[in-house]
């Protein structure tokens, strides 16, 4: 089990002014920030990042959305990081997310769901490497 996960605060949550609120919940959840940047990705970069979803019907919509405005990308550290962060963010669809989760509070729909969280240690490493080099980690 690795102690790192990868997250993005998605364009909807950035636009709504919720970067600070979400970072506060991440800290309150016991996570340490290893790396962080504020940037906008291109449609092509979003397609590469979400390659595993290429055959899903929402791939076009998802990659349009993720390249539509700035995001905050970060690597987070905590024991059991991947699973604990998935618990903190809640279900993909905010209508099904538990009370007190980031998505329950800040997501507006299944597509515009405020935050990303890696679903495995392997993907956490791949996704972190997509955004950050060794000099950008602390
Ligand atoms: P996650 O791991 O909880 O983020 O969920 P998935 O890996 O299943 O999906 C990745 C992302 O695709 C989600 O966070 C949503 O932004 C988006 N997504 C998932 N399902 C749908 C859907 O039915 N429609 C749309 N438009 N987007 C979706």
């Amino acid at each position: 089990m690795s102690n790192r996960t990868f997250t993005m605060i998605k364009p909807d949550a950035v636009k709504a002014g919720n970067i600070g609120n979400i970072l506060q919940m991440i800290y309150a959840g016991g996570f340490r920030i290893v790396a962080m940047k504020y940037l906008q990705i291109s449609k092509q970069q979003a397609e590469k990042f979400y390659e595993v979803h290429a055959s899903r019907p929402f791939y076009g919509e998802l990659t349009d959305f993720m390249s539509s405005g700035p995001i905050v990308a970060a690597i987070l550290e905590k024991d059991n990081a991947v699973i604990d962060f998935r618990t903190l963010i809640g279900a993909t669809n905010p209508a099904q997310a538990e009370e007190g989760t980031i998505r329950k509070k800040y997501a507006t729909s299944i597509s515009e769901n405020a935050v990303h969280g890696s679903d495995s240690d392997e993907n956490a490493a791949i996704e972190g490497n997509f955004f950050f080099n060794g000099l950008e980690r602390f």
Side-chain angles (χ1 to χ4, degrees), residues 44-129:
Q44 207 175 13
Q45 287 167 325
E47 285 172 348
K48 177 82 187 139
F49 184 87
Y50 282 108
E51 214 165 31
V52 293
H53 292 313
S55 62
R56 309 279 283 274
F58 57 81
Y59 183 61
E61 205 177 307
L62 171 61
T63 53
D64 279 346
F65 166 58
M66 289 303 295
S67 58
S68 68
I71 60 168
V72 175
I75 296 172
L76 305 176
E77 189 173 74
K78 179 187 186 295
D79 286 349
N80 206 27
V82 166
I83 290 169
D84 286 0
F85 193 68
R86 296 287 296 190
T87 303
L88 179 65
I89 68 178
T92 309
N93 184 347
Q96 282 149 19
E98 299 274 337
E99 285 299 331
T101 60
I102 294 176
R103 282 171 168 166
K104 182 71 178 182
K105 281 193 149 156
Y106 299 116
T108 50
S109 70
I110 192 168
S111 53
E112 306 212 346
N113 60 3
V115 279
H116 168 82
S118 305
D119 64 3
S120 66
D121 289 345
E122 190 193 359
N123 284 337
I126 293 169
E127 292 169 1
N129 291 339

Side-chain angles (χ1 to χ4, degrees), residues 5-10 13-14 16-39 71-78 85 88-89 100-103 105-106 114-116 132:
T5 190
F6 172 78
T7 187
M8 293 180 284
I9 301 177
K10 297 186 178 185
V14 171
N18 287 324
I19 295 175
N21 293 329
I22 291 172
L23 289 179
Q24 204 161 16
M25 288 183 75
I26 290 172
Y27 279 125
F31 292 86
R32 188 180 79 78
I33 291 170
V34 173
M36 179 180 287
K37 58 177 73 164
Y38 183 50
L39 78 168
I71 60 168
V72 175
I75 296 172
L76 305 176
E77 189 173 74
K78 179 187 186 295
F85 193 68
L88 179 65
I89 68 178
T101 60
I102 294 176
R103 282 171 168 166
K105 281 193 149 156
Y106 299 116
V115 279
H116 168 82
F132 299 101

